[in-house]
Amino acid sequence: MPGIVAILVTSGIEIGLLTQLGVFKTVIGLWVLVSQQLVTIAILLMLVVVGSFIFAGFESRRGSWDIWILYYGLIGLACFLAIVAGLNNGLNYDVKYSTYASKAAIDFLSLQYLNGAVVSTTFLLAALFMLSDPRISYAIGPDGKRHLYMHSKVLGLIRLLRRANLGDVFRSRRRLYDSTPRPSVDWDAGEGLDHAVVSKNGTLKWNDRFPISSPSFLAWTSIKFLLALGIASLIASDVALRLNVIQNYIRVTNSSWIAEIQKYFAILGVRLGGNYQTSPLFGVDNAFTFEVFALILSLVGLAFTIIGIRLGISLLANATVGLSARAFGMSRRALSNFFAIIALAFLYSVLGAGSWVYDVGSSFILWTLILLLAGSTFVALFTRSPRVFHIKLTRLKAVGILVIVILSVVTLPAYASFLRAQSGQYVNYQWNPAYVPTIQYTRWAYGVDNVTPAGVSLINSTGPQTNVLGHVRIFTQEAARLNMKPLVGVNWMSLDTAPVDIIYRNGTEYWVSILQLVQPTYGGDTDVWRTQHLLLTHSEKILAVNAATTERVDAAKIWPLTQTPQVYYGEGGLWQSVDEVYLNIPGFTETHLANYSGPPSYSGSPDYTFDGFWRYWKFFWQGRLDFASGNYGPIKALEFRDLNNRLSNLLLPNMQMDPDPYPVVDPQGNIYLLHWVWIDWPSPSGFADYPEHNNTSILRLFSTVLTDVKTGEIRGYLYDNGKSDYVTSFYRSMYPKWNQPIPSWLGDQLRYPETFFNIQQSVYNFYFQTDPNQWQRNVFLQSTEDTRFIITPLNGNLAWSAVRLVEIYKSPSQNLAGLYVAPAGTQTGHVYLIRFPEGKTLLGPTTAESAVSTDPTVKGRLTLHPEWTIGNILLYLIDGRLIYVIPYYGTVGNLTVPVMVAVVNAETKQVGVDFIDNPNLSSEVAGATTKAINSMGIATGTQLTINGTLTYRYGPFDKGGNAQWIIGITPTGGTQPIQILARYETLTPSEVYTLITTPTPNGSISVVVDNNFTLLKIQ
């Protein structure tokens, strides 16, 4: 009784305190609280019951009651730990709930628990586990009184083995001279229900009944409840999610569960009838029906598993006693259970056969399973009858039965294999019924049915080649990192593991990095907690370099920043290891740069505020009594500061986010990290990636999500993926706040998610192929190199795009077969596969790199400079030719700089090269690719020489961190000036000097321009 009182007091304290928190004032929060309390009560009850049983034994052996002091002490400690764990867990729930309610306008609890469906499903599944054998009987016990009994297979098996003399039978050591026979097994058998085996009228029956009031049954019930709740909690989220997905689409389409189940069994009936021909879109059209039955089948499988475990335990008990005691009745029941388990496995397979992929032989395999099901079911039922031991089975009859069984099982699969081997009927027997529907389904499932096949003309440039060459990327990501590293300047921000992202702004590519917040440590640190939670709260620096010219650029010239960046939320570093900081604490000042411009401390709203009892509880356990006692008033906190973790808490199961977010900025100068989010839903049928089934997902690009790096506010924008399937429909319904148009300023900064792009490529490399002959010849593609974001011509205009090269599948020559192009900006979502004509020989990137390293000019220079390292291999279309651009890097002082640019003609294998004499001169770096291409004898654009007078000069204007001028030159003998664009990064210092010192309106000047009247050279 004292233990029960302690449990009730513990539960009352927890409920009284936790209901003060906002999260537990909601309906779902109360359900969560109830479920947690049930688990706590079950654990404590098990400790009370088992402990009282054990300590009662100790008391009887010792003859002293003082042992109960230890018992009550342990119960008290367990209750105290339960209170601590419960309050900490409840506070964590409230922190999450409040944070996402204020910063994302999303009810975290409703999202996580699917509006309560997960909780109700958990309780329902746990109840089904607990009542897997609900039989209750009223029988006379050993005391002569009637008691309520329930069945327990596990306890029955334990009692059977514990009460038998197995220790004597299987004793480990026997002396060599001990010739006494091994004793037979003595089972605990008798007429009463207190025996492990009930013996009546000369027959034995395994007894698995127990009084429901017995300590062992109560203890096992507590353990069973915990196991049931644990197993239910593991699978409830998946079951509830699938149930909600189905129910949502049934409501959207005005269908019903009965209609979908009937449709499934109609499909199964057609398959049983031998019909294997289907429409190409069969898998797509019936995907939802297969999803409905997949859920039903998983629940049936769960039920079969529980039944199978119970039958297995019964089989073990009956077989053990039956074989050792020659109790044929028990042996017969064991044999029946064995075949019943086999029948369950066959029945499960037959029920799931409707979603198989069928060819000419599949129906024969299905009928084989049905025959095996019928046979195992017949044997399972027949062996339950005592007549089975009275059958006289001669050797001839036994051989005859065995032959019939083997022929039944072998003949149909053998005939199926024979039909599949008919090569002349491959298209009709296998390709059309099996491969065509699976190709269409896999393309639909991975969203690659919208990939547009295209020719090389798509990336032909109609303008001068200087437009392309002026944007060729020279710096790789790692080279940019090493180049920017000397600019960090302080020890509490770091570039070492900070992400370095490529972005495209104002027609220019930049490598940018938000410096990571870190703490420099040493052995004498006295209060690391204060430093990490109060002083080092945010990062304040963003570094950037021009990817084409390697020139360092102020971030304020790329984005409209009006203050020093204040990055309170980021990736890795202290944001990840210390995901909670406290703000506006009197006496503590946040760390700033010397030239910092902005508010002295965090000026946004906090994620959570600790006050009252919960402030004391929070900081007491951290040993911060000054915070706990209220010396600083309510404590404002920022939570979940690592942006990847912050967003992942908001994602439902089967949602993925791009692991490489990148920065975007709105017109007001607010900085965000952009994550792409997509759905990765398991396919409900065998139609995905047949027959290997390596890619078995339904992939849907879902949304772009912005997280403000200063305030932590989260905004989502649903992406229109052009699909209205059941998966997309449900997930969109769960994020109504994200159903808003993408703002125009963001549309220009979008780019296709790289990881998602790579997944789609890996699928489309095979599933672009729809020709059966080419499929059998393995005419597929394989990706090479990594996906690169580069500026490339697209339909006559320059577009920043994700580009991935592909080679012929497993080709020893490693020739280039094509490339994927996914334009960015407002065209994000379009994907093109440009394939080169079959038989056209184009070097792949590996061969191109080899061509450069073996070129005599390059080889000689690399011999002199073995420390030079190779950069990314990029492919551009220049003057109608596919040209690889390969930069090399060296070291000048503590900087990594470009020292050479090599180019390779992919068709002719011709190599061109330019050695950069002054890598610190951005104009020389920018023109290196042009010079390398010119060295191959390829003109890079139409050029025009203009001699005359400098009539006007406007500028300089800032354009993407570089200076530009608009000048007018009146040609000699002309009357009207010609307007020309001059760009600083393409001119030498002497040319810039001439440009800005030539007097207007009559200063003489001679220039070279392209046919867009962009200044190339001042003579």
Side-chain angles (χ1 to χ4, degrees):
M1 182 57 70
I4 302 299
V5 173
I7 293 174
L8 295 176
V9 170
T10 299
S11 182
I13 292 174
E14 282 193 49
I15 293 174
L17 291 173
L18 290 176
T19 49
Q20 297 176 14
L21 297 174
V23 65
F24 296 115
K25 294 178 181 179
T26 64
V27 175
I28 299 175
L30 286 175
W31 275 103
V32 173
L33 180 59
V34 168
S35 65
Q36 291 177 345
Q37 289 303 305
L38 287 176
V39 172
T40 301
I41 291 172
I43 294 174
L44 293 177
L45 182 62
M46 181 179 65
L47 292 176
V48 168
V49 173
V50 175
S52 63
F53 184 76
I54 294 174
F55 278 87
F58 287 158
E59 182 185 19
S60 63
R61 285 193 295 270
R62 289 168 53 94
S64 174
W65 60 268
D66 56 357
I67 191 67
W68 289 99
I69 297 176
L70 177 60
Y71 167 75
Y72 291 123
L74 292 176
I75 294 299
L77 178 61
C79 290
F80 174 73
L81 294 177
I83 291 174
V84 172
L87 295 186
N88 284 336
N89 190 48
L91 182 58
N92 290 335
Y93 264 111
D94 195 55
V95 169
K96 277 188 178 182
Y97 175 78
S98 300
T99 296
Y100 291 112
S102 61
K103 293 298 181 73
I106 288 178
D107 185 341
F108 162 77
L109 211 61
S110 293
L111 193 65
Q112 182 178 14
Y113 290 99
L114 298 175
N115 298 317
V118 174
V119 177
S120 57
T121 303
T122 302
F123 282 125
L124 180 60
L125 290 175
L128 293 176
F129 283 129
M130 292 296 294
L131 299 175
S132 57
D133 189 344
R135 292 176 293 169
I136 300 177
S137 57
Y138 202 53
I140 298 176
D143 58 358
K145 297 179 180 179
R146 288 187 172 273
H147 299 275
L148 286 175
Y149 283 81
M150 290 192 73
H151 295 258
S152 174
K153 302 293 184 186
V154 174
L155 287 181
L157 181 62
I158 293 174
R159 180 173 60 183
L160 176 70
L161 299 177
R162 185 169 60 86
R163 294 186 180 181
N165 62 332
L166 297 180
D168 296 332
V169 175
F170 298 105
R171 62 181 180 270
S172 57
R173 294 185 179 180
R174 294 174 60 88
R175 296 181 181 180
L176 294 176
Y177 55 82
D178 187 1
S179 59
T180 59
R182 187 185 297 271
S184 60
V185 181
D186 183 16
W187 301 105
D188 174 37
E191 294 187 1
L193 291 178
D194 57 326
H195 294 284
V197 179
V198 175
S199 175
K200 277 189 178 182
N201 301 323
T203 61
L204 298 179
K205 183 178 180 182
W206 175 50
N207 178 29
D208 63 350
R209 289 193 290 175
F210 290 84
I212 62 175
S213 59
S214 64
S216 59
F217 186 80
L218 290 176
W220 168 242
T221 301
S222 298
I223 296 172
K224 185 178 178 182
F225 175 74
L226 291 176
L227 290 174
L229 205 59
I231 296 173
S233 63
L234 289 176
I235 64 176
S237 180
D238 178 67
V239 172
L241 177 64
R242 294 165 66 186
L243 184 66
N244 275 264
V245 168
I246 293 170
Q247 188 60 40
N248 173 75
Y249 202 64
I250 283 177
R251 184 173 59 253
V252 170
T253 58
N254 198 27
S255 182
S256 68
W257 286 84
I258 298 298
E260 297 300 329
I261 294 173
Q262 288 176 341
K263 186 177 179 182
Y264 178 84
F265 279 106
I267 293 172
L268 182 58
V270 170
R271 297 305 200 181
L272 285 171
N275 187 346
Y276 59 89
Q277 296 290 354
T278 61
S279 71
L281 295 176
F282 178 81
V284 177
D285 294 339
N286 294 289
F288 181 63
T289 299
F290 293 147
E291 186 69 55
V292 172
F293 200 78
L295 174 60
I296 294 173
L297 192 63
S298 64
L299 296 177
V300 169
L302 182 61
F304 282 3
T305 300
I306 296 174
I307 295 172
I309 292 173
R310 293 179 57 79
L311 289 174
I313 295 174
S314 179
L315 184 156
L316 179 61
N318 281 288
T320 303
V321 178
L323 295 176
S324 62
R326 299 183 64 82
F328 296 113
M330 296 186 71
S331 299
R332 175 170 48 78
R333 282 190 289 271
L335 188 63
S336 176
N337 288 347
F338 174 75
F339 281 98
I341 294 172
I342 294 176
L344 288 176
F346 286 134
L347 178 57
Y348 182 82
S349 298
V350 170
L351 289 175
S355 60
W356 290 359
V357 177
Y358 281 74
D359 60 15
V360 67
S362 301
S363 295
F364 297 101
I365 303 299
L366 175 56
W367 275 108
T368 301
L369 289 176
I370 292 175
L371 288 176
L372 291 171
L373 169 62
S376 55
T377 302
F378 172 77
V379 175
L381 295 175
F382 185 67
T383 50
R384 286 194 174 274
S385 171
R387 289 177 296 174
V388 67
F389 295 108
H390 300 288
I391 298 176
K392 295 181 180 180
L393 190 64
T394 64
R395 181 177 299 178
L396 182 61
K397 289 181 179 179
V399 171
I401 293 174
L402 184 63
V403 169
I404 293 173
V405 171
I406 292 176
L407 288 177
S408 300
V409 173
V410 174
T411 302
L412 291 178
Y415 185 61
S417 299
F418 170 76
L419 291 176
R420 288 168 175 163
Q422 305 306 303
S423 300
Q425 293 293 326
Y426 171 75
V427 171
N428 293 325
Y429 282 2
Q430 294 188 61
W431 178 260
N432 286 336
Y435 283 91
V436 171
T438 55
I439 289 173
Q440 295 299 325
Y441 179 86
T442 306
R443 289 162 65 120
W444 168 83
Y446 281 85
V448 296
D449 47 353
N450 292 327
V451 173
T452 304
V456 182
S457 59
L458 180 73
I459 55 173
N460 276 329
S461 177
T462 58
Q465 300 309 311
T466 51
N467 287 348
V468 178
L469 294 172
H471 297 89
V472 171
R473 185 192 307 168
I474 300 301
F475 255 163
T476 64
Q477 182 185 56
E478 192 57 31
R481 181 192 303 276
L482 295 173
N483 189 273
M484 292 188 291
K485 196 169 184 178
L487 304 178
V488 174
V490 294
N491 66 353
W492 49 279
M493 289 186 283
S494 173
L495 186 63
D496 293 343
T497 57
V500 178
D501 298 297
I502 189 73
I503 66 168
Y504 184 65
R505 291 284 291 170
N506 303 318
T508 305
E509 279 185 311
Y510 300 96
W511 286 108
V512 299
S513 179
I514 300 176
L515 293 188
Q516 202 171 66
L517 183 65
V518 296
Q519 180 192 6
T521 59
Y522 75 103
D525 281 349
T526 57
D527 195 345
V528 176
W529 185 91
R530 181 185 66 172
T531 303
Q532 294 179 344
H533 291 82
L534 304 175
L535 304 180
L536 297 180
T537 57
H538 64 287
S539 171
E540 292 184 349
K541 209 167 193 179
I542 300 177
L543 300 180
V545 294
N546 187 307
T549 67
T550 72
E551 185 179 11
R552 298 170 186 174
V553 182
D554 186 352
K557 293 184 177 180
I558 302 175
W559 296 308
L561 304 181
T562 58
Q563 294 181 341
T564 301
Q566 299 148 50
V567 186
Y568 286 87
Y569 302 83
E571 297 179 85
L574 286 181
W575 293 308
Q576 184 179 48
S577 60
V578 184
D579 66 349
E580 185 178 68
V581 295
Y582 311 114
L583 308 163
N584 310 125
I585 307 298
F588 297 94
T589 304
E590 297 180 35
T591 305
H592 295 294
L593 293 170
N595 61 346
Y596 171 77
S597 172
S601 60
Y602 179 75
S603 58
S605 60
D607 290 340
Y608 194 79
T609 300
F610 295 96
D611 199 10
F613 168 80
W614 294 106
R615 180 192 64 236
Y616 189 87
W617 181 266
K618 169 75 175 180
F619 293 101
F620 173 81
W621 295 107
Q622 297 185 27
R624 303 290 162 178
L625 297 183
D626 52 343
F627 282 77
S629 59
N631 291 358
Y632 307 109
I635 305 300
K636 299 177 181 178
L638 300 183
E639 307 283 346
F640 315 113
R641 297 194 304 146
D642 182 84
L643 288 181
N644 293 318
N645 294 334
R646 188 176 181 87
L647 178 57
S648 65
N649 288 333
L650 281 182
L651 301 184
L652 288 172
N654 300 315
M655 296 182 77
Q656 305 289 331
M657 62 184 183
D658 200 321
D660 185 25
Y662 61 94
V664 297
V665 178
D666 67 16
Q668 288 73 43
N670 298 309
I671 305 170
Y672 307 87
L673 275 188
L674 184 150
H675 281 90
W676 277 100
V677 175
W678 60 86
I679 306 163
D680 189 348
W681 186 266
S683 178
S685 70
F687 283 84
D689 194 27
Y690 173 85
E692 289 83 4
H693 302 301
N694 294 323
N695 300 294
T696 57
S697 296
I698 296 177
L699 216 62
R700 295 290 180 262
L701 197 55
F702 182 68
S703 68
T704 58
V705 182
L706 304 183
T707 307
D708 192 314
V709 299
K710 178 182 178 180
T711 66
E713 293 180 355
I714 298 174
R715 307 175 191 173
Y717 302 91
L718 296 182
Y719 174 76
D720 184 7
N721 58 29
K723 305 291 185 184
S724 58
D725 52 80
Y726 64 95
V727 177
T728 303
S729 175
F730 168 75
Y731 279 91
R732 290 177 71 91
S733 71
M734 294 300 293
Y735 294 87
K737 295 289 186 181
W738 293 4
N739 190 11
Q740 54 185 333
I742 295 175
S744 58
W745 66 264
L746 178 58
D748 295 333
Q749 300 181 63
L750 290 180
R751 71 185 192 205
Y752 207 62
E754 182 176 345
T755 303
F756 187 84
F757 186 44
N758 291 339
I759 296 173
Q760 287 188 310
Q761 293 166 33
S762 66
V763 172
Y764 199 69
N765 282 342
F766 292 89
Y767 286 93
F768 77 92
Q769 188 60 265
T770 57
D771 186 317
N773 295 322
Q774 299 285 59
W775 189 281
Q776 286 191 297
R777 289 175 45 220
N778 294 329
V779 180
F780 304 123
L781 302 172
Q782 64 184 23
S783 298
T784 179
E785 289 294 306
D786 294 327
T787 295
R788 313 287 189 195
F789 287 93
I790 63 173
I791 299 172
T792 185
L794 201 66
N795 290 320
N797 299 308
L798 291 184
W800 197 53
S801 307
V803 176
R804 184 82 180 270
L805 308 182
V806 289
E807 297 175 347
I808 298 170
Y809 180 69
K810 292 188 177 181
S811 170
S813 63
Q814 296 183 305
N815 287 337
L816 190 66
L819 64 153
Y820 289 95
V821 178
T826 55
Q827 298 184 70
T828 298
H830 297 284
V831 179
Y832 301 92
L833 173 59
I834 300 170
R835 293 187 64 203
F836 305 129
E838 191 171 353
K840 184 175 184 178
T841 303
L842 294 169
L843 301 181
T846 303
T847 311
E849 180 183 342
S850 176
V852 171
S853 62
T854 56
D855 179 80
T857 303
V858 176
K859 187 176 181 180
R861 191 63 67 95
L862 292 178
T863 302
L864 295 174
H865 299 281
E867 76 280 4
W868 286 5
T869 58
I870 191 171
N872 294 338
I873 302 176
L874 303 178
L875 184 69
Y876 293 89
L877 189 68
I878 308 295
D879 195 30
R881 299 174 177 88
L882 287 167
I883 304 293
Y884 287 102
V885 178
I886 309 174
Y888 282 77
Y889 304 97
T891 304
V892 175
N894 61 346
L895 296 178
T896 297
V897 296
V899 292
M900 178 179 74
V901 174
V903 295
V904 183
N905 188 317
E907 191 167 0
T908 66
K909 205 177 179 180
Q910 185 182 8
V911 175
V913 65
D914 179 67
F915 300 103
I916 301 173
D917 297 324
N918 187 357
N920 294 320
L921 186 61
S922 60
S923 58
E924 182 175 351
V925 174
T929 304
T930 301
K931 293 178 181 179
I933 291 175
N934 290 339
S935 72
M936 293 194 299
I938 298 176
T940 54
T942 304
Q943 298 181 357
L944 175 68
T945 301
I946 302 175
N947 299 310
T949 57
L950 185 61
T951 308
Y952 58 83
R953 177 180 55 239
Y954 302 126
F957 308 105
D958 182 85
K959 183 69 172 178
N962 292 310
Q964 294 185 357
W965 293 265
I966 301 295
I967 63 175
I969 299 178
T970 301
T972 303
T975 59
Q976 296 294 326
I978 299 174
Q979 184 166 292
I980 297 169
L981 172 66
R983 303 190 323 189
Y984 172 85
E985 65 267 24
T986 62
L987 302 176
T988 64
S990 62
E991 289 174 331
V992 172
Y993 179 79
T994 300
L995 176 66
I996 63 178
T997 58
T998 300
T1000 57
N1002 298 315
S1004 298
I1005 192 169
S1006 178
V1007 300
V1008 178
V1009 299
D1010 62 22
N1011 58 359
N1012 269 358
F1013 293 98
T1014 299
L1015 184 63
L1016 301 178
K1017 183 179 181 181
I1018 299 178
Q1019 295 180 332

